[in-house]
Amino acid sequence: MDLTRINEKLEGRKPIEILEWAFSLRKKTIATTNFGPFEAVMLHLVQILEPQTEIIWIDSGYNTHATYKFADRLSEQLKLNLKVYTPTITARRRDARMGGIPEVDTDLHRQFTEQVKIEPFRNALKEIQPEVWLTAIRRVQTAHRAGTDIVATDKSGMLKVAPVLNLTDAEMLSYLKKNNLPDEPDYYDPTKVFTNRECGLHQRE
């Protein structure tokens, strides 16, 4: 697969056109969500085209009360085929061991990220064995994402497709309003802590 040519072809295309391309491959496809701000956009697009797509949520156990309520609300509204994966160790037990959420950019925080996000995602991949991963990352979110392509591959060879990669916050908000979709800004990711940091999942390649 010529990724350079594919990215040249898809750059500038609408998100739904990128998704149409991804689904046209007829490969085992998943989409991931964190139920954070603007997440309803890609999930709605996926439901329009392939409503049976498995939606993977890595629930770290540290989400806000609002996020959990939003996840239930959006899942019901869009009739998501939601699959939830959680860490093997509970948040309370981990907090007792680590003294709460460790300071960022430390070895302990890297262990924390591995436990609450990377390991559950690895388990999801092992169980589902997808060939295509749809993600809602956007270039405006972090410096790392600013340099990513619409279509890429990870070490396992899984194709990673980012349909909304080029959308701005204003464009995402416009889509939500146009389609009467809910949003929830009260969101916290303990593996990122700060909004301009990566969560770890998108650096696992």
Side-chain angles (χ1 to χ4, degrees):
M1 185 172 286
D2 188 340
L3 293 183
T4 299
R5 184 176 178 181
I6 289 170
N7 278 294
E8 289 175 351
K9 174 185 175 182
L10 295 179
E11 191 68 36
R13 294 290 184 90
K14 296 178 180 178
I16 198 163
E17 294 175 322
I18 296 170
L19 280 171
E20 287 172 340
W21 174 84
F23 286 125
S24 74
L25 299 174
R26 293 301 165 194
K27 296 179 180 292
K28 178 67 174 178
T29 302
I30 62 168
T32 52
T33 185
N34 57 18
F35 289 108
F38 303 126
E39 285 290 296
V41 174
M42 192 186 77
L43 295 177
H44 182 255
L45 289 166
V46 169
Q47 292 306 97
I48 290 173
L49 296 176
E50 294 287 344
Q52 293 306 308
T53 301
E54 290 174 292
I55 310 299
I56 308 305
W57 182 26
I58 306 303
D59 175 12
S60 67
Y62 292 88
N63 288 295
T64 66
H65 179 80
T67 295
Y68 286 116
K69 297 289 286 184
F70 176 65
D72 288 343
R73 178 185 176 190
L74 189 62
S75 296
E76 176 61 27
Q77 180 175 335
L78 297 183
K79 306 300 180 186
L80 299 179
N81 183 15
L82 184 65
K83 309 292 183 183
V84 183
Y85 289 83
T86 58
T88 56
I89 301 174
T90 66
R92 283 184 177 275
R93 185 179 180 189
R94 187 180 303 100
D95 285 348
R97 287 181 171 181
M98 294 185 170
I101 298 173
E103 291 292 324
V104 298
D105 298 323
T106 62
D107 286 339
L108 196 58
H109 194 274
R110 283 184 280 274
Q111 292 176 36
F112 175 85
T113 299
E114 173 73 21
Q115 289 180 17
V116 305
K117 189 158 287 188
I118 307 300
E119 183 182 354
F121 187 59
R122 190 182 298 125
N123 291 338
L125 297 183
K126 184 178 180 180
E127 180 177 309
I128 300 173
Q129 298 188 343
E131 300 169 277
V132 179
W133 169 18
L134 305 176
T135 170
I137 63 170
R138 293 182 297 130
R139 285 181 174 142
V140 297
Q141 292 173 321
T142 69
H144 174 73
R145 296 175 187 185
T148 60
D149 291 324
I150 293 173
V151 181
T153 55
D154 68 4
K155 290 179 179 179
S156 70
M158 181 171 57
L159 208 62
K160 184 177 176 181
V161 183
V164 297
L165 187 67
N166 288 320
L167 295 193
T168 64
D169 285 1
E171 289 171 321
M172 297 288 274
L173 183 59
S174 176
Y175 186 94
L176 291 175
K177 290 182 177 179
K178 180 181 178 181
N179 293 280
N180 296 313
L181 294 168
D183 197 31
E184 179 50 68
D186 185 3
Y187 172 78
Y188 176 70
D189 185 341
T191 66
K192 290 182 65 173
V193 181
F194 306 110
T195 56
N196 62 344
R197 293 183 76 252
E198 272 300 323
C199 67
L201 202 62
H202 297 285
Q203 289 182 315
R204 59 179 287 280
E205 293 88 4

